[in-house]
């Protein structure tokens, strides 16, 4: 679907102020960010080295380098928001 401005709906990303994510879910920061590659991987494709490198670069850009293996439940609210922003960067929107 193309919007009136010529953009496709897939070209737009949105990050709400309050994310409705169950932070008790057992997932680490890197895997959370890697879900931003959903369009390329879908259900059954594997994440490759390039995708991991892009996720690491996105984490570095939001100041979360070194947090890759921490569970999301261990992050502060601001750090978690940063991880979600890093995920949004991978959407290529």
């Amino acid at each position: 679907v193309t919007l009136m401005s010529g953009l496709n709906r897939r070209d737009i990303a949105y990050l709400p102020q309050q994310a409705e994510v169950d932070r008790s879910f057992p997932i680490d920061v890197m895997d959370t960010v890697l879900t931003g590659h959903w369009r390329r991987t879908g259900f059954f494709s594997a994440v490759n080295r390039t995708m991991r490198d892009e996720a690491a670069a996105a984490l570095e850009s939001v100041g979360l380098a070194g947090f890759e293996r921490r569970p999301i439940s261990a992050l502060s609210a601001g750090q978690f928001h940063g991880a979600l922003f890093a995920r949004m960067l991978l959407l290529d929107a």
Side-chain angles (χ1 to χ4, degrees):
V1 174
T2 302
L3 304 174
M4 290 179 11
S5 63
L7 291 174
N8 188 307
R9 286 181 192 245
R10 291 182 150 207
D11 296 332
I12 299 171
Y14 171 72
L15 181 61
Q17 186 68 30
Q18 290 280 319
E20 294 185 22
V21 175
D22 180 3
R23 292 184 53 193
S24 67
F25 187 78
I27 188 170
D28 64 30
V29 173
M30 177 58 87
D31 288 337
T32 300
V33 174
L34 284 169
T35 63
H37 282 304
W38 176 258
R39 281 191 209 167
R40 291 198 268 177
T41 62
F43 277 116
F44 302 109
S45 295
V47 173
N48 62 36
R49 186 73 192 144
T50 301
M51 292 174 179
R52 286 194 176 279
D53 291 345
E54 290 170 354
L59 282 169
E60 186 172 343
S61 72
V62 297
L64 291 176
F67 286 67
E68 293 84 359
R69 293 290 145 223
R70 288 191 192 185
I72 60 171
S73 61
L75 299 178
S76 70
Q79 290 167 334
F80 181 64
H81 201 72
L84 294 179
F85 189 80
R87 179 181 70 174
M88 190 176 71
L89 292 174
L90 297 185
L91 293 173
D92 195 28

